[in-house]
Amino acid sequence: YGLSSLKRLHFLLRIKSQNGLCDVYIEPILRVLNLLPCQLVCQLGESQNASNGRKIVPTDEVEIPVGKEAKCISIDCSLKPHLSVRLPGTRWASWTRIVNRDQNSFTWRPTE
């Protein structure tokens, strides 16, 4: 396998130092928690240039059981990530841009 075939992974890295000891926290870039009374399927996508404008290209699909959390490390924050959800027996919802609403030192992208 060459380096071009490797998939890029993205993490949030937080370093905490106290009394000369450093704690390093590695967290996933995105977490989705299913609080619905049924299974939820999420599709993650990234915005890419196409011949007729920009389009969303699906990158990952995750099934989330009731009350569980899914974590994603394969989405590239610089490519304007989007999310689409589906409940059992329904069609995919339209793509929704993931925008960071909590702007602080731990966030990965400025709020729009």
Side-chain angles (χ1 to χ4, degrees):
Y1 297 104
L3 289 178
S4 62
S5 67
L6 295 176
K7 189 172 189 177
R8 287 186 183 152
L9 303 178
H10 301 270
F11 300 94
L12 291 175
L13 185 63
R14 192 166 39 109
I15 300 173
K16 200 180 216 181
S17 177
Q18 186 175 8
N19 298 329
L21 296 175
C22 288
D23 292 324
V24 178
Y25 299 93
I26 301 172
E27 299 176 0
I29 200 75
L30 176 70
R31 292 181 188 179
V32 180
L33 177 62
N34 182 6
L35 297 176
L36 298 172
C38 60
Q39 178 176 299
L40 176 69
V41 183
C42 289
Q43 198 175 48
L44 299 164
E46 297 169 342
S47 180
Q48 294 184 357
N49 287 326
S51 58
N52 57 351
R54 296 187 75 74
K55 73 175 205 171
I56 308 302
V57 177
T59 58
D60 206 358
E61 188 174 309
V62 181
E63 292 184 8
I64 310 169
V66 176
K68 299 294 181 183
E69 180 182 86
K71 299 172 184 172
C72 179
I73 57 174
S74 63
I75 196 108
D76 187 348
C77 304
S78 66
L79 295 177
K80 300 180 180 177
H82 286 69
L83 177 75
S84 178
V85 296
R86 182 171 61 89
L87 298 174
T90 64
R91 295 186 310 168
W92 285 105
S94 59
W95 288 106
T96 302
R97 170 106 188 265
I98 300 171
V99 178
N100 195 4
R101 299 284 181 212
D102 182 21
Q103 189 174 13
N104 62 39
S105 62
F106 299 121
T107 60
W108 51 265
R109 194 165 170 85
T111 303
E112 289 189 5

